[in-house]
Amino acid sequence: MTTAATKKTVARAAEATATDTEPAFVPVEYKGKTYQIAIGDDAPIEVLEAESDFDAVKAILGPEQWADFKSTKQTVGDYKRFSTLIFEAMGEDDSGN
């Protein structure tokens, strides 16, 4: 997924949650851990500033969840599978990895 596609995903999720008053989060499970992903208008502004999908994933997860993901000694393949799950949860079918 390109950065432009990431921005479109966030925009689509924002439209879907525009009427909600509670923050919009979706759980993403990977290797026995559950990560809370903010979607739509509740996604961090850093997602829009991201220059790559990698930076977007880091922004989506936030520093604590990113550190937790990395602490489990993940591989590049793990990152690709996990980022695909994140982008799918945000409404995108293909992360492009």
Side-chain angles (χ1 to χ4, degrees):
M1 175 196 282
T2 65
T3 302
T6 301
K7 292 175 186 176
K8 287 179 186 175
T9 298
V10 172
R12 272 199 308 264
E15 290 174 13
T17 61
T19 59
D20 294 344
T21 56
E22 294 294 318
F25 290 89
V26 294
V28 173
E29 291 188 33
Y30 188 72
K31 288 193 168 184
K33 292 190 173 229
T34 302
Y35 300 86
Q36 293 297 317
I37 308 301
I39 60 170
D41 286 344
D42 296 313
I45 192 75
E46 291 82 7
V47 173
L48 298 176
E49 297 174 327
E51 294 185 19
S52 68
D53 288 345
F54 184 79
D55 290 337
V57 168
K58 286 175 63 176
I60 291 164
L61 289 174
E64 291 172 10
Q65 291 188 116
W66 177 249
D68 185 47
F69 175 72
K70 283 181 40 179
S71 74
T72 56
K73 305 293 183 204
Q74 303 293 345
T75 65
V76 171
D78 289 320
Y79 165 79
K80 288 179 179 181
R81 288 182 287 279
F82 184 46
S83 66
T84 297
L85 292 174
I86 289 171
F87 289 126
E88 286 174 354
M90 295 180 76
E92 185 64 37
D93 293 331
D94 180 26
S95 71
N97 288 325

